[in-house]
Amino acid sequence: MSVPDLASLLKQTDIEDHNEVLKAAQSKLKQSKTDAGAQHAKVVALLKLDRFEDAIDAFESGGDRLKEQAGLEYAYALYKTGKPSQAAEVARKGAARGHRHVEAQASYRTEDFKRAAELYLQLAARLEDDAEADLRINSSAVDAQLEWAGYGDLAQKKKPEREDLEAFETAYNAACGSIARGELGQAEVLLKRTKDICNALEDMSEEEKQAELVPITVQQIYVLARQGRTADAEELSKSIDAKSIPDASTRHIAEVNSIAASALPANPFVAQRLISRDLDTLRPDLPFGFQTAILRQNHNAVDLQSMKFGGTADATAEAISKQQGPSLDGHLNSLSVVNAAAHAKNQSGKEALKHLLPLLERRPNDVGLVLTIVQLYIVGGNAASAVTPLESFLSRLEQSNTSSNVRFAPAIVGTAVSLYFSLGRKGHAQSELAKSARHWLAKPEERSAGVVHLLKGAGSALLESEDTEHESLASQIFSELHKLDTGDRYAAAGLLAASPEKASPEQSQTLQPVDRLIAGVDVEILENAGIAQPPSSEHAAVNARKRPAEDLKPKKRKKLPKSRMPKDFDPEKKPDPERWLPLRDRSTYRPKGKKGKAKQNLYSQGAAPAVESENSRPGTPAAEVVKGKQQGGGGGGKKKKGKGGKW
């Protein structure tokens, strides 16, 4: 389009009236279908009017030349029509600041949160014409999603700042981040704060406020249900009409939460009808991956409650069979657990193991199935038997050259170590941690936050080992951790404990003094609480108990019933402390006569035997014991005297 034609087009339109711009552009295109300027003006007007599908049709009609000329508008149209992957690819080709915004939004929808965080960090470094508040809102949303996706170490903020609590969007995102970290109490406070900020806004109508408050309330219901406050969650769920929520994903999640928050168990067949919905119908605003996984788990749980064991087993087995070899994918392993429950027909204990142990022979590398069997043994109180399938699984992974990261995954190693410690097998636990530490020390580029925590635990446990190799490995672990983060006090303390010669004075100064650490410790309370007794054997470690402290409080004397009191009982008179002893054992006993005194002397310790007089009768000799025989109860060793006979 020439400059005069473009100027005449702009003169005929009002810049605020996008319908007029659209009409003028279409009028121009009737004269010349290939007019690039008119085509560009048309797609901009369609985007301003939220007619995104029509904008895509206009781009397809305009061809590649229009897509290259209006690359930013094309990427935005793709994003708004539910094609974020294509939108990110198109926006990546542009160099303008607007392209970075669209790419960040598209990356967010494709759950490439790492790339989105990187882009928003670049945009925040140079604000230019962007509103700082908008960037803060988008960055906080990305931080929350990083927490859900398991990349919380990449989040820019863990705790909201004062500026974040001044807008309800950033406060809401901070609450979502707290939920992802499991900080439910903090999330509940932030959600209440979000509602208060939203209700106090004066530039929003009541309808707009209600539209913003609905997702906040849905999150509150979830938090209350997670805290076990079912009655509060159910009451709050009644305050919203889930069917009136315009957003399809939010509406479906609200309906599912209302079922989960019910105090009474829902009819599984009715719940199945409400939950069984094809998630593809929620396009373009599909739930995120972690939400989709939970919704599918709910669907499987309802199917199991409806006793659809065969169908559930077949459906989950089809998805499991597509995976070659062991996997750490959370969704896939959750399907393995559902599949195990379907084969066991919701039974537990020995009955479930009868079905699952043969299944393990057919799927020996199924991580979810192995952990389910281990859990069933532990719940049944047979932790010793849980070691066998777990150790066999670990041995199979060690033999596979492609499964090393699965073998030494923090969750699997943590399961084995916890099991060993519970059985008192401290040496096995230390050996397992040592092997895991050597594996991850050789792969510094693959260390995630979970691996760092595993290395810290391994270093701490190996410090207690008497093996010199373990002590050297602990020193190496803490040295690597300290290089990774010089401000980590745990790593500095571990390095000081493992290798005092390697620790610098600056590292020692960063640690808190011992006097400050024990300032609030009350030794007397600890002594009164009792002393933990070490287990006497490996098997006793499971049932080791803490010896209770001696009760220093004076016990109240029980009152004796009147029916058990003697007639001459005097409560003022102190009873004889030797009243329970036999009469001859009391200190007040005095025998009577010569025989009684002689007999008493025999009972006295250290007393000399009485000298027999000439007139005294000799003692009766003891009966001879016949070896090799037992005396019966009715017969004796004497021969019965015959009638009329002599001795």
Side-chain angles (χ1 to χ4, degrees):
M1 184 177 185
S2 62
V3 176
D5 291 337
L6 179 58
S8 63
L9 176 62
L10 294 175
K11 288 180 181 179
Q12 297 172 13
T13 60
D14 183 0
I15 196 171
E16 297 296 333
D17 192 345
H18 304 295
N19 281 311
E20 293 298 326
V21 174
L22 179 61
K23 290 179 181 180
Q26 289 176 334
S27 176
K28 184 63 179 178
L29 288 173
K30 287 180 180 180
Q31 301 174 7
S32 176
K33 294 182 179 181
T34 60
D35 192 316
Q39 289 176 338
H40 195 171
K42 179 181 178 179
V43 295
V44 171
L46 290 172
L47 293 176
K48 294 288 186 180
L49 294 171
D50 293 342
R51 295 169 57 179
F52 305 111
E53 293 291 346
D54 294 336
I56 291 294
D57 294 338
F59 275 111
E60 295 299 329
S61 300
D64 294 339
R65 187 182 66 175
L66 178 60
K67 293 177 182 178
E68 292 178 2
Q69 179 184 353
L72 177 60
E73 291 82 356
Y74 182 47
Y76 184 70
L78 290 171
Y79 168 73
K80 296 299 290 186
T81 52
K83 302 172 183 177
S85 299
Q86 299 179 32
E89 184 179 355
V90 172
R92 198 173 294 118
K93 298 177 182 178
R97 190 175 179 85
H99 291 86
R100 300 286 76 76
H101 276 285
V102 176
E103 184 187 356
Q105 291 278 43
S107 299
Y108 180 84
R109 281 306 310 173
T110 58
E111 302 188 39
D112 188 0
F113 303 120
K114 293 182 180 179
R115 176 60 178 167
E118 180 183 347
L119 289 170
Y120 282 123
L121 195 62
Q122 294 175 5
L123 292 170
R126 296 176 58 190
L127 289 176
E128 296 186 5
D129 296 334
D130 296 332
E132 184 179 359
D134 293 341
L135 287 177
R136 186 183 297 115
I137 291 171
N138 292 343
S139 298
S140 62
V142 172
D143 284 347
Q145 292 294 348
L146 285 171
E147 296 284 357
W148 281 113
Y151 301 107
D153 55 315
L154 301 178
Q156 297 297 316
K157 294 181 182 179
K158 292 289 185 180
K159 295 182 179 180
E161 299 176 353
R162 186 174 64 180
E163 294 82 0
D164 298 326
L165 300 180
E166 294 177 354
F168 78 93
E169 295 95 341
T170 49
Y172 176 74
N173 290 335
C176 292
S178 297
I179 296 173
R181 290 189 296 271
E183 302 169 355
L184 301 179
Q186 178 71 9
E188 183 180 5
V189 173
L190 289 172
L191 288 172
K192 290 180 180 179
R193 171 71 175 171
T194 304
K195 277 191 169 182
D196 295 339
I197 298 173
C198 186
N199 286 320
L201 293 176
E202 298 179 354
D203 56 346
M204 292 177 62
S205 64
E206 288 300 322
E207 294 181 356
E208 292 174 335
K209 289 181 181 180
Q210 290 303 318
E212 297 290 350
L213 288 172
V214 167
I216 302 173
T217 305
V218 172
Q219 287 286 45
Q220 280 186 305
I221 296 171
Y222 174 76
V223 170
L224 292 172
R226 282 280 306 275
Q227 290 177 318
R229 297 161 58 182
T230 309
D232 296 337
E234 185 176 14
E235 182 179 357
L236 187 59
S237 65
K238 294 178 181 178
S239 64
I240 60 174
D241 183 10
K243 296 181 179 180
S244 63
I245 299 176
D247 181 71
S249 295
T250 306
R251 180 171 62 252
H252 182 60
I253 293 173
E255 291 173 348
V256 172
N257 285 355
S258 64
I259 297 173
S262 177
L264 298 175
N267 186 325
F269 300 99
V270 176
Q272 186 185 33
R273 180 174 59 83
L274 295 174
I275 291 178
S276 300
R277 179 174 181 176
D278 187 4
L279 297 180
D280 289 335
T281 60
L282 303 178
R283 291 183 181 275
D285 295 327
L286 285 171
F288 287 101
F290 73 93
Q291 294 173 316
T292 303
I294 294 173
L295 291 172
R296 287 175 178 167
Q297 289 175 15
N298 290 340
H299 185 276
N300 292 328
V302 172
D303 285 346
L304 290 174
Q305 292 176 358
S306 303
M307 294 180 289
K308 295 186 176 181
F309 303 124
T312 304
D314 294 339
T316 52
E318 182 180 357
I320 295 170
S321 62
K322 297 179 181 178
Q323 177 65 35
Q324 301 295 330
S327 173
L328 296 176
D329 183 75
H331 173 63
L332 186 66
N333 289 324
S334 66
L335 289 180
S336 298
V337 176
V338 173
N339 182 268
H343 279 89
K345 298 181 179 180
N346 284 349
Q347 299 180 99
S348 60
K350 295 181 179 179
E351 296 300 323
L353 290 170
K354 289 180 182 178
H355 298 279
L356 299 186
L357 291 176
L359 184 64
L360 182 62
E361 295 179 359
R362 300 197 296 270
R363 290 167 20 206
N365 294 327
D366 192 330
V367 176
L369 179 59
V370 171
L371 294 180
T372 301
I373 292 174
V374 170
Q375 181 70 8
L376 286 173
Y377 274 122
I378 294 174
V379 172
N382 192 4
S385 298
V387 176
T388 303
L390 184 59
E391 287 183 338
S392 300
F393 174 65
L394 296 179
S395 298
R396 289 192 294 271
L397 292 181
E398 288 181 357
Q399 296 173 2
S400 174
N401 296 328
T402 59
S403 304
S404 59
N405 285 356
V406 178
R407 164 63 181 88
F408 296 107
I412 295 178
V413 174
T415 302
V417 170
S418 299
L419 193 56
Y420 284 140
F421 273 124
S422 67
L423 295 172
R425 297 166 65 175
K426 188 176 180 180
H428 288 76
Q430 291 173 342
S431 298
E432 176 66 23
L433 289 170
K435 288 194 294 185
S436 304
R438 292 190 185 97
H439 171 79
W440 290 115
L441 286 175
K443 296 185 176 182
E445 69 283 352
E446 300 181 18
R447 292 178 197 163
S448 62
V451 171
V452 172
H453 287 300
L454 174 62
L455 290 174
K456 288 182 178 180
S460 177
L462 294 177
L463 281 176
E464 301 177 2
S465 176
E466 297 179 357
D467 192 339
T468 55
E469 292 185 2
H470 288 175
E471 295 178 2
S472 176
L473 182 59
S475 175
Q476 184 181 355
I477 290 172
F478 285 117
S479 179
E480 289 291 327
L481 292 175
H482 184 68
K483 291 179 182 177
L484 185 66
D485 184 5
T486 55
D488 190 342
R489 292 186 175 183
Y490 192 96
L495 182 60
L496 183 62
S499 303
E501 68 280 357
K502 294 183 180 179
S504 61
E506 292 78 9
Q507 296 173 4
S508 303
Q509 292 175 0
T510 59
L511 303 177
Q512 292 188 6
V514 177
D515 296 339
R516 186 182 301 176
L517 291 174
I518 65 174
V521 178
D522 193 326
V523 178
E524 185 176 355
I525 293 179
L526 291 177
E527 289 181 348
N528 293 337
I531 302 173
Q533 293 179 335
S536 57
S537 64
E538 291 185 357
H539 298 289
V542 181
N543 300 320
R545 296 182 179 179
K546 193 175 184 180
R547 176 175 63 80
E550 182 182 357
D551 191 1
L552 302 179
K553 297 181 180 179
K555 295 182 180 180
K556 293 184 178 180
R557 189 175 181 180
K558 293 183 180 180
K559 189 175 181 181
L560 191 67
K562 292 184 178 180
S563 59
R564 298 184 61 184
M565 294 182 181
K567 295 181 180 180
D568 57 347
F569 176 72
D570 185 3
E572 301 297 331
K573 185 178 179 181
K574 185 177 180 180
D576 184 6
E578 297 181 351
R579 62 189 182 277
W580 309 111
L581 299 176
L583 185 63
R584 67 173 180 268
D585 293 340
R586 300 182 189 180
S587 59
T588 56
Y589 174 68
R590 297 292 183 270
K592 297 180 180 179
K594 293 183 179 180
K595 291 184 179 181
K597 291 181 180 180
K599 192 174 183 180
Q600 181 67 18
N601 288 336
L602 290 176
Y603 290 136
S604 300
Q605 184 176 3
V611 180
E612 295 182 359
S613 62
E614 296 178 358
N615 298 328
S616 63
R617 182 182 174 183
T620 305
E624 183 178 358
V625 179
V626 180
K627 295 183 179 180
K629 295 183 180 180
Q630 286 185 332
Q631 293 185 3
K638 298 179 181 179
K639 185 176 180 180
K640 187 174 181 180
K641 183 177 68 173
K643 189 174 182 180
K646 298 181 180 178
W647 286 93

